[in-house]
Amino acid sequence: MALKDRFKELEEVVQQKSEHETMEQIEAHEVVKDKIEFGSVCEEISALLSKKVASIPIWFEYSESEQKKLLGEYMTKKLSDDYPTLSVSEEEKENLISIFTSSVHGFGALDYYIARDDVKAILVYADGTVLVDGGESFHKEKSAISQAEFEKIYARLSDGANKNNLNLFRIRLNKTVITLFAPPVSEKKILFEKLSAEHVTLDLLVEENSISQEEKDFLKNIISERKNLLVAAPASCGKTALLAAIIDEVSKFSRSAVLENSPVINQNKADSYLIRGLNDNELDDLLNAVSKLKYDYTINDTEYLPAILSDRLKEGYIASVEAETMTQAVIKLAGYKIYSEKFSEKQAKAFLASQFEYIVLLKKSDNSILNIEKIAKLSLNKAGSLVLS
């Protein structure tokens, strides 16, 4: 969606010509009309605002009100200097600034892609190459940023990462999760991932046709009985969104904790614990402390197998794992127990059956936040084999 489409509601309505106007008056109106239609210059004004933001190296240090004030003063001057015949009300200016500041973060040309509703993720390489994901896969864009612009953005975002001596660093900025890659993990690049929803609830998932009413009722029943649940799905298929909806549900009537790599899930009353950067001993100490706090529910969105399979987390435990199928999820978790903790295959299967009572499998969805493919109960048969029913 082009930026100008976001500002259609701001377009100036030109009054209809009176039947009594002279030809000279009509011609005069035609000249003025070309100059006063606000929608026709919105994209140009937005581009000017983007350049202004990109020129301010400490943009992130300003509060939202300070950002709006700076942009308002700049826009008023530009309108006066470059568009002296353009008629724009104060309300229109305020609306434009509000829309602009809600979708622009100071990343220059990259803001255009971040603002587009049809863009799910943006990958930027050190040479300025820009790849955009519209939901299916990444494709290369014709436009790019300069290497100098990349370094400027990367340096601005990586301040915190450098202080913590990390080679992979994630931060959240409004509705966008930003991952910075650095050597030796990878060559420098930046990944922008847009969250599907700021506040996801089970009711919203039903309204968006992501889950059926029957699936919602079944999930609520599992949750209310504090059954342990594993959410499996391929990458970018809604695992975090479903966990956010579950957190919203349990926070209404209980104490809950969230384990995350970085602050991504929009929890309300849940206590958040970040595990990125912890060594094995520190992670064990954290999980031990969380278990002693006796939360009614613990939601794990780390994708970190030692944390997912910790025996310290008992009832009301909900975790996610990246997998294409339920079988793949089971093999992935059992395999960790077998090869990392020297479990026998039978012991690993028994542990999984005791750790998780249900598995929810999500699949790719282009028209909704997520899509549940199946829900299965996990149990052991008499022969000691795992059964998904």
Side-chain angles (χ1 to χ4, degrees), residues 179-190:
T179 303
L180 296 177
F181 297 87
V185 171
S186 165
E187 65 179 21
K188 280 186 181 180
K189 51 180 172 278
I190 309 172

Side-chain angles (χ1 to χ4, degrees), residues 218-343:
F218 188 78
L219 287 172
K220 288 187 68 172
N221 185 57
I222 291 175
I223 293 168
S224 65
E225 293 179 2
R226 296 184 66 206
K227 302 292 186 182
N228 289 3
L229 176 68
L230 179 67
V231 179
S236 303
C237 284
K239 295 188 297 295
T240 298
L242 181 58
L243 293 184
I246 291 174
I247 292 169
D248 175 81
E249 184 66 28
V250 302
S251 295
K252 297 175 183 176
F253 55 84
S254 61
R255 293 173 60 247
S256 55
V258 182
L259 302 178
E260 298 182 273
N261 292 317
S262 51
V264 174
I265 295 180
N266 179 37
Q267 353 82 2
N268 293 320
K269 300 177 182 178
D271 293 340
S272 181
Y273 298 93
L274 306 182
I275 73 165
R276 180 172 295 282
L278 299 182
N279 60 39
D280 291 342
N281 290 333
E282 291 169 335
L283 175 63
D284 190 60
D285 288 343
L286 173 62
L287 295 178
N288 184 45
V290 170
S291 66
K292 288 181 178 179
L293 291 173
K294 297 181 180 180
Y295 288 100
D296 298 304
Y297 295 89
T298 303
I299 292 86
N300 187 339
D301 192 36
T302 65
E303 295 280 350
Y304 187 48
L305 294 181
I308 293 174
L309 295 170
S310 172
D311 57 5
R312 298 186 183 280
L313 304 174
K314 306 297 184 181
E315 290 184 327
Y317 180 50
I318 301 161
S320 67
V321 63
E322 185 174 317
E324 298 283 342
T325 65
M326 288 185 175
T327 301
Q328 188 182 90
V330 168
I331 292 173
K332 188 174 186 177
L333 298 183
Y336 175 81
K337 282 291 184 181
I338 293 170
Y339 295 107
S340 297
E341 300 187 21
K342 309 306 179 185
F343 275 41

